[in-house]
Every structure is written in C-alpha cells, then in structure tokens.
Amino acid sequence: MVEAIPRLDPLRIGSRRETTVIAADADISSVNCRLAAAAEGGETLEVILVLRGKVRRATGSGRWRMQLEGRRVLTFQADCVLATTAVARRLR
C-alpha cells in the first residue's frame, strides 16, 4: 500500500497594495480582557498564536528560536507547534 502525497496549498501572496495578511488594526480589546481575567484568576489557558519569522534550532536544547519582524526572538518547543506555512518572499 502506498500513501498518497498530500496536496500542498499554494503560497499566499497579497496584492501589491496589500502589505499584511492579518489586519493589524483589528479590535483586540476582547482578547486583552480575556487574558487579563485569566491572569488575575490564575487560570491556565491554551493560546494559539500566529507568528512570522525565520526559524533556527536553539543551541544545546530541543528548542527552536524564531526571529520575528522588529528583531524580537521567541524560543519554543516543537511540541507546541500545530502547523507551519511557508511564506512567499516579497518581490524587490
């Protein structure tokens, strides 16, 4: 029995007028309220984030480092990742 090769979705490329895929001006006040309530109550949450950046293996551990826009770096374990999507490079 041979497994079928999964079909990959094409890369998402915005129009020339479009600079971001996710709306940066979205109203996040409800998210802030929910996070604040969870922090105040000592609640444990599952949070799903969407991050964009370059990834590399962290030195000496089973963790990964992602350099985000603005040069910030986030370190995480692979078992926290739900999915990955390649991002098309912008044309110069």
Side-chain angles (χ1 to χ4, degrees):
M1 180 181 247
V2 177
E3 278 188 51
I5 297 172
R7 183 182 66 80
L8 298 175
D9 292 333
L11 294 176
R12 291 174 291 161
I13 301 172
S15 68
R16 290 180 186 240
R17 287 179 280 153
E18 192 176 21
T19 57
T20 59
V21 176
I22 299 169
D25 58 346
D27 179 20
I28 59 167
S29 59
S30 62
V31 174
N32 280 327
C33 288
R34 177 65 180 113
L35 292 173
E40 188 176 304
E43 252 182 280
T44 299
L45 295 180
E46 253 184 14
V47 177
I48 299 172
L49 305 171
V50 176
L51 305 169
R52 180 179 289 193
K54 294 191 179 206
V55 68
R56 64 183 172 148
R57 191 176 295 274
T59 307
S61 71
R63 298 177 66 83
W64 291 89
R65 297 175 65 92
M66 177 175 271
Q67 184 172 356
L68 308 172
E69 292 178 8
R71 311 292 286 175
R72 291 184 179 168
V73 175
L74 175 76
T75 305
F76 59 92
Q77 293 177 246
D79 62 348
C80 296
V81 176
L82 296 177
T84 63
T85 302
V87 176
R89 294 180 182 210
R90 291 184 183 173
L91 298 174
R92 292 181 184 196

